[in-house]
Amino acid sequence: MEAILESPYINSLPTLFEGLKMTLLITIAGLFLGFILGGLVGLGKLSKNKLIQGICTVYVEVVRGTPILAQVLFIYYGLTEDLIGLSINALTAAIIAITINAAAYIAEIVRGAVYSIEKGQREAGRSLGLTEKQTMRYIIWPQAFKRMIPPLGNQFVISLKDTSLFSVIAVHEVLYMGKQYYNVTYEIFETLVMVCILYLIITIPTSIILRRLERKLDV
């Protein structure tokens, strides 16, 4: 029992748990804000206004076409200091990066889910005397939202793993804390094994839940 408690794998956990808290904070906060922004951008891409549609399309293509690592470096070093003249802390930069990155993908999830609803649903709403907005609110959006749930869960997993890149700006997420730990103890292999296990503890149950949701929604 004492040998287990003194294991280098176990010894790293207190430090890694501190990083895991930060990882989850960035992921949850970023996705919450990303869902709001992504929903607006997704609806903007569905807009009949060509200007709004164009702006939203450019936003999605630029964000999806550039790596999140470049985005967070741009936000942390380039945007705030060179353009605005203000400095922000690493945590704020990480949340902003997750937000704008996730929003671009969520916008496409929203657009795809709305487009997946049969045209007859819209026609049925209009035949009942509903306006276009009412048809979207009461008929299209509830059905589309159910179809968004699985891909939104996948986006959670992707964003969670993307936080590991933020160690480059010294965000104290789980991988950064792992590096700090093994730089002192030199237990590199054991520490990285535990880092991977902590990620899997979150991602595997999430994937299982998503598969069950997909089966349920298919039925």
Side-chain angles (χ1 to χ4, degrees):
M1 186 65 179
E2 292 182 0
I4 295 176
L5 293 176
E6 292 300 322
S7 166
Y9 297 96
I10 302 300
N11 290 341
S12 64
L13 284 178
T15 301
L16 296 181
F17 277 137
E18 290 300 316
L20 185 61
K21 293 177 185 178
M22 185 66 72
T23 293
L24 290 173
L25 172 63
I26 295 169
T27 304
I28 294 171
L31 282 180
F32 174 75
L33 296 173
F35 180 76
I36 297 173
L37 178 59
L40 293 174
V41 174
L43 292 175
K45 291 194 70 175
L46 296 169
S47 173
K48 295 180 180 179
N49 186 306
K50 296 299 182 182
L51 177 60
I52 294 176
Q53 188 181 99
I55 292 172
C56 292
T57 299
V58 169
Y59 168 80
V60 170
E61 294 304 320
V62 169
V63 173
R64 293 204 308 168
T66 54
I68 191 171
L69 181 57
Q71 293 165 12
V72 74
L73 290 174
F74 180 78
I75 293 168
Y76 188 61
Y77 293 113
L79 181 63
T80 54
E81 294 182 6
D82 295 341
L83 295 183
I84 302 177
L86 299 174
S87 61
I88 60 175
N89 60 46
L91 174 60
T92 302
I95 292 175
I96 293 173
I98 286 289
T99 298
I100 64 173
N101 188 270
Y105 291 92
I106 291 171
E108 286 299 288
I109 292 171
V110 171
R111 184 188 63 82
V114 172
Y115 272 141
S116 71
I117 305 301
E118 297 77 7
K119 291 183 179 179
Q121 299 284 334
R122 293 181 174 83
E123 294 170 358
R126 301 307 295 271
S127 68
L128 291 172
L130 299 178
T131 65
E132 186 172 344
K133 289 183 179 179
Q134 289 173 328
T135 300
M136 177 65 74
R137 179 179 177 183
Y138 295 112
I139 297 178
I140 305 301
W141 186 254
Q143 296 180 74
F145 183 75
K146 285 165 57 174
R147 299 186 183 187
M148 294 178 204
I149 294 175
L152 286 175
N154 289 330
Q155 185 59 47
F156 170 80
V157 173
I158 293 169
S159 295
L160 177 75
K161 293 186 293 184
D162 282 345
T163 60
S164 63
L165 299 172
F166 299 154
S167 60
V168 298
I169 58 170
V171 174
H172 292 187
E173 45 75 46
V174 65
L175 182 59
Y176 178 86
M177 296 303 288
K179 289 179 180 178
Q180 296 296 104
Y181 182 81
Y182 69 61
N183 282 339
V184 175
T185 63
Y186 300 102
E187 296 167 349
I188 299 175
F189 176 81
E190 296 89 342
T191 304
L192 291 179
V193 166
M194 295 309 297
V195 168
C196 292
I197 287 174
L198 289 178
Y199 276 115
L200 290 172
I201 286 173
I202 298 173
T203 57
I204 289 178
T206 302
S207 298
I208 292 172
I209 292 170
L210 289 175
R211 284 196 292 269
R212 290 182 177 178
L213 269 175
E214 287 174 1
R215 288 196 294 269
K216 184 176 181 180
L217 293 176
D218 284 342
V219 172

